[in-house]
């Protein structure tokens, strides 16, 4: 796989945006915190946005978006959620602080290239990026790929599900573990997605005729609809995994 950064190939942005909207459920594309931070992240951290290209076609096969920030290596100093990752990285940049860790904020593999180990390649490239920039950890708040098929199962139980061979049930968690990442804990705060009832109706293609909990496609938990307030709220937990980077290994 050929790997380039956004600073090297800014022309891949449109292809990237198509891949992103194919990979994630619609409601995630309307996240005001992500959308508010993203243009600045792309500009400030363009060397940390990785594009994986199919060497035969030069087409985009996968992306790994990351941000550098200061982390002291303790569980207590982990950001509360991915939203805090975004705001913390930009704040540390503004304050001119020297980053110590790289945090994955998004990975996506084109449907045509899924199941070929590109997620592992992305993690390998993330570790390489850490070495290149003198960062001592690669961490990420993981959004388990298949949790959306089990929205009523408590998150803490789901992440401990295992296959008969003892490896994690969830493929994205499995990739972390097989690559050697350690679990650092469940995020203290969920990612919160909120909108009016008509927003959620257009994002999901469903109708919500009464208040209550609904299963919606792609969400890790139930959407809670409140007709009196005209609000739909979804809270999704993620789980932290991380690698300590050995500057000598594979150098
Ligand atoms: C999660 C994702 C990045 C995995 O990428 P990938 O390159 O296909 O993963 P790999 O080829 O390394 O596969 C790892 C394992 O997951 C399995 N797998 C991958 N995608 C899967 C899917 N959608 N459903 C079920 N299993 C899947 C593979 O079969 C493999 O299983 P194995 O350990 O038994 O061999 C990719 O599915 C994707 O882009 N999903 C949409 C975006 C997303 O959810 N990103 C993660 C949160 S930011």
């Amino acid at each position: 796989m050929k790997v380039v950064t956004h600073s090297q190939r800014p022309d891949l942005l449109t292809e990237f945006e198509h891949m992103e909207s194919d990979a994630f459920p619609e409601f995630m594309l309307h996240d005001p915190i992500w959308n508010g931070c993203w243009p600045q992240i792309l500009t400030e951290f363009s060397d940390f946005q990785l594009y994986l290209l199919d060497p035969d076609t030069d087409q985009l096969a996968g992306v790994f978006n990351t941000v550098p920030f200061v982390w002291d290596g303790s569980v207590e100093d982990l950001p509360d959620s991915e939203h805090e990752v975004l705001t913390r990285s930009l704040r540390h940049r503004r304050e001119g602080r020297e980053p110590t860790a790289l945090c994955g904020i998004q990975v996506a593999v084109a449907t045509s290239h899924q199941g070929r180990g590109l997620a592992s390649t992305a993690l390998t490239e993330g570790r390489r990026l850490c070495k290149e920039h003198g960062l001592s950890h690669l961490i990420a708040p993981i959004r388990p790929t298949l949790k959306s098929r089990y929205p009523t199962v408590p998150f803490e139980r789901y992440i401990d599900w295992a296959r008969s061979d003892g490896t994690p049930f969830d493929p994205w968690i499995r990739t972390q573990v097989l690559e050697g990442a350690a679990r650092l804990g469940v995020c203290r705060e969920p990612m919160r997605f909120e909108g009016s009832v008509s927003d959620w109706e257009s994002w999901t293609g469903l109708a919500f005729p009464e208040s209550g909990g609904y299963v919606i496609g792609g969400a890790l938990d139930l959407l809670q609809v409140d007709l009196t307030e005209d609000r739909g709220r979804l809270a999704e937990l993620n789980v932290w995994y991380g690698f300590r980077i050995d500057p000598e290994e594979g150098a």
Side-chain angles (χ1 to χ4, degrees):
M1 219 23 75
K2 187 171 153 197
V3 182
V4 293
T5 63
H6 180 68
S7 53
Q8 293 167 320
R9 289 288 308 273
D11 57 295
L12 290 168
L13 186 60
T14 310
E15 224 181 309
F16 160 63
E17 285 171 347
H18 284 137
M19 179 184 293
E20 188 183 34
S21 43
D22 282 351
F24 295 101
E26 183 71 21
F27 67 83
M28 292 187 82
L29 308 177
H30 300 272
D31 174 356
I33 299 182
W34 176 283
N35 291 342
C37 293
W38 178 246
Q40 220 183 329
I41 285 177
L42 199 56
T43 315
E44 300 285 343
F45 303 130
S46 56
D47 289 339
F48 296 92
Q49 313 314 320
L50 298 177
Y51 296 133
L52 280 58
L53 302 179
D54 184 323
D56 297 330
T57 60
D58 212 34
Q59 296 246 303
L60 194 60
V63 296
F64 188 28
N65 300 116
T66 66
V67 291
F69 60 41
V70 184
W71 177 51
D72 71 8
S74 72
V75 168
E76 295 71 31
D77 194 40
L78 283 170
D80 286 344
S81 72
E82 184 166 315
H83 280 152
E84 201 203 324
V85 171
L86 306 176
T87 53
R88 188 195 282 203
S89 64
L90 290 172
R91 191 177 69 248
H92 287 178
R93 177 72 159 197
R94 270 197 311 278
E95 294 168 353
R97 297 177 67 184
E98 195 61 38
T100 57
L102 188 66
C103 186
I105 52 171
Q106 178 167 275
V107 63
V109 172
T111 337
S112 54
H113 288 71
Q114 283 182 10
R116 299 194 206 165
L118 252 67
S120 304
T121 307
L123 294 178
T124 305
E125 288 300 320
R127 295 196 295 263
R128 187 192 51 74
L129 204 56
C130 284
K131 283 182 204 161
E132 197 179 307
H133 292 269
L135 303 168
S136 56
H137 293 88
L138 172 65
I139 58 176
I142 297 303
R143 183 173 191 268
T145 321
L146 295 189
K147 175 68 175 76
S148 59
R149 294 193 196 164
Y150 306 92
T152 59
V153 174
F155 187 80
E156 284 81 356
R157 289 175 65 85
Y158 174 82
I159 59 177
D160 279 337
W161 282 4
R163 300 193 301 184
S164 55
D165 63 1
T167 59
F169 170 82
D170 187 83
W172 188 208
I173 294 181
R174 190 161 68 245
T175 301
Q176 301 288 324
V177 170
L178 295 179
E179 283 292 306
R183 188 190 289 181
L184 304 174
V186 173
C187 292
R188 280 183 293 273
E189 287 292 325
M191 291 285 277
R192 295 182 195 283
F193 302 95
E194 195 170 330
S196 67
V197 174
S198 65
D199 285 338
W200 283 100
E201 287 179 342
S202 76
W203 297 340
T204 60
L206 297 172
F208 303 111
E210 57 180 67
S211 294
Y214 289 87
V215 173
I216 60 164
L220 308 193
D221 212 308
L222 297 182
L223 171 69
Q224 300 296 336
V225 172
D226 186 329
L227 291 185
T228 51
E229 288 183 42
D230 187 26
R231 300 312 284 167
R233 297 183 180 90
L234 171 67
E236 290 191 344
L237 280 167
N238 293 162
V239 55
W240 283 103
Y241 276 87
F243 300 85
R244 204 185 158 79
I245 307 301
D246 176 352
E248 302 305 322
E249 186 199 303

